[in-house]
Amino acid sequence: MSLEGESDVTVDRPIREWNGLIIPDPGVYTLDEAHKRIGFEAQHMMVSPIRGEFAKGSATIVVAGDPLRSSITATIRADSINTHNPERDAHLSSPDFLDVRRHPTLAYRSTGIVWESDSDPIFHWARLRNNPLARRGSAADLPPAATRASGRFVIKGCLTVKNVSRQIDMHLEFGGARRDPYGREIFGFSATAEIDREDYGLVWNVMLDAGGVLVGKKIRIEIAGEAIRDS
């Protein structure tokens, strides 16, 4: 970071605080290809989880001055699906599921962001525990929350699969912001959501003799990574 009248210095993290969090400075950030996972989990034969991922995908995060006005857009290559089983991957790529020849990409765009720090009781408990007067005082007597690295948000958005768009909520854990050894501003995150695949026309299944179906309808989306500020 260059300061007028001083020599260049390197700081450990961007200096911006919001609701007790150190957050990224405003700007455009790109998902780091080397530090990302775009994954999912489905139920197999009603008894066991099968995990997979999409190897190719990109995302752009525009961090606003007010972080709750930030936005996210992402594109995923459907043919990059990988469940570590070539036969299963070929079936998931077929018209029974993703139909990657006709629908080569999946897309996501955010429509809103909600801060949910107060929903986690552990923060409230910690503040009570550290305040000897809390039992006699009111909520206004509680000390302010200490600056921390992580926080939780709900990202409201629209997921498009096979030209079908549906609203979904992603629960995002913000992992913190800092500068990497190359002086770039980065931040980390992980996010999860649950969708019903049949809402997107992915209805193929097989009924089991003992009851239930071969492939569960509910799909858990699991995304994690780092974003780097564009130069």
Side-chain angles (χ1 to χ4, degrees), residues 41-44 46 194-200 202-205 213-220:
E41 177 183 298
Q43 199 75 3
H44 179 248
M46 312 297 292
E194 187 176 88
I195 64 171
D196 185 329
R197 63 184 177 88
E198 293 188 354
D199 288 344
Y200 297 89
L202 310 180
V203 298
W204 183 92
N205 225 327
V213 293
L214 182 65
V215 183
K217 295 196 304 179
K218 299 297 184 181
I219 307 295
R220 177 181 170 86

Side-chain angles (χ1 to χ4, degrees), residues 41-71:
E41 177 183 298
Q43 199 75 3
H44 179 248
M45 295 191 68
M46 312 297 292
V47 297
S48 63
I50 296 295
R51 282 191 169 90
E53 62 184 7
F54 292 93
K56 298 179 181 179
S58 61
T60 299
I61 302 98
V62 179
V63 177
D66 175 356
L68 298 183
R69 293 185 176 274
S70 301
S71 63

Side-chain angles (χ1 to χ4, degrees), residues 77-97:
R77 283 278 302 274
D79 63 359
S80 69
I81 193 169
N82 180 16
T83 65
H84 306 286
N85 182 299
E87 184 177 350
R88 181 168 57 221
D89 293 344
H91 190 199
L92 292 173
S93 298
S94 76
D96 283 343
F97 288 97

Side-chain angles (χ1 to χ4, degrees), residues 126-177:
R127 292 168 67 193
L128 282 174
R129 184 174 181 272
N130 292 325
N131 182 7
L133 300 178
R135 294 181 181 178
R136 299 198 303 268
S138 65
D141 298 321
L142 292 177
T147 300
R148 55 188 182 276
S150 62
R152 296 179 179 178
F153 298 82
V154 176
I155 311 297
K156 297 182 176 295
C158 183
L159 176 66
T160 300
V161 181
K162 296 178 70 172
N163 287 340
V164 177
S165 299
R166 293 285 186 269
Q167 292 291 321
I168 67 169
D169 286 351
M170 298 200 71
H171 296 269
L172 182 140
E173 179 82 19
F174 172 73

